[in-house]
Each structure stands twice: as C-alpha cells, then as structure tokens.
Amino acid sequence: MKTRPTRAAIVRAQQALLSRVLLDDDPARECWACGALPPGGIELERAHILAARDGGGVEPSNFFLLCATCHREQPDDAPRDEQVRWLLAHESDVARTWRLTASGARA
C-alpha cells in the first residue's frame, strides 16, 4: 500500500494553486474550499483530485486539503481543471456569504 503524502508536502506541492485561494491561516490547517478551521485539533482530510480508483497516485500535487463537509461535496469524478474551478468558486461563495453576514447585509 502506498503512503499518502503529509499535509506539509501537499501544501508545498500546491503553492501555485494556494496563491489563488484566500486563506486567513495556515493552509495545512484551514479548509481550502470553505476556509473552516476544524475544531478540537481535527485535521483536514487529504482529498484526491484524481481518485485512487481512477488511477490517481499519491503524489502531493494530486491532493487538496478539505474539511469533511467539503470533501463530501468535492466533485471528485470531475477532471482536475473542473475541481480547481469548484474549489475557487466554492471559496468565493463562502467568503461572500461571510462578508455579507459579518456586515449585517443579506446574502
């Protein structure tokens, strides 16, 4: 059985993508899709971009770091470029809702 990469290795391998994702904290601890910091020391899940069942490997560039909710919502049967678009759009929707909520406006 192949060993999955560490979260730190995934962060290093995904620097180009992470430069486009708005995160407030450490990308090894904050969900790349919704920005959540899992409570109580719960670690983010390593989400395959190309699923292992479809031949996806364990190289760090084949993973996102997602909370459990976003990992379930991830379109993991979609090609990589569509998943990146989902990731960026999901973050934008969540960030927009948070900003509107924080400012007292309606989403």
Side-chain angles (χ1 to χ4, degrees):
M1 182 175 183
K2 296 181 182 178
T3 304
R4 292 181 301 166
T6 65
R7 286 165 186 81
I10 294 168
V11 169
R12 283 191 304 273
Q14 294 285 22
Q15 284 301 305
L17 173 62
L18 287 169
S19 69
R20 299 167 54 197
V21 176
L22 299 175
L23 297 175
D24 293 328
D25 199 35
D26 177 357
R29 293 185 51 239
E30 186 175 349
C31 178
W32 295 4
C34 74
L37 287 167
I42 296 173
E43 294 186 333
L44 294 171
E45 297 180 4
R46 290 170 276 206
H48 279 91
I49 297 170
L50 178 61
R53 70 176 177 272
D54 296 328
V58 294
E59 59 277 354
S61 61
N62 188 40
F63 289 87
F64 297 145
L65 294 179
L66 303 173
C67 68
T69 300
C70 289
H71 194 180
R72 284 190 302 274
E73 295 174 0
Q74 175 196 15
D76 61 356
D77 290 333
R80 179 184 180 88
D81 60 333
E82 287 181 33
Q83 289 196 45
V84 169
R85 279 195 297 276
W86 168 83
L87 181 79
L88 297 172
H90 188 72
E91 185 276 331
S92 296
D93 290 344
V94 170
R96 184 179 315 105
T97 300
W98 182 87
R99 278 193 304 276
L100 290 172
T101 302
S103 70
R106 293 187 153 190

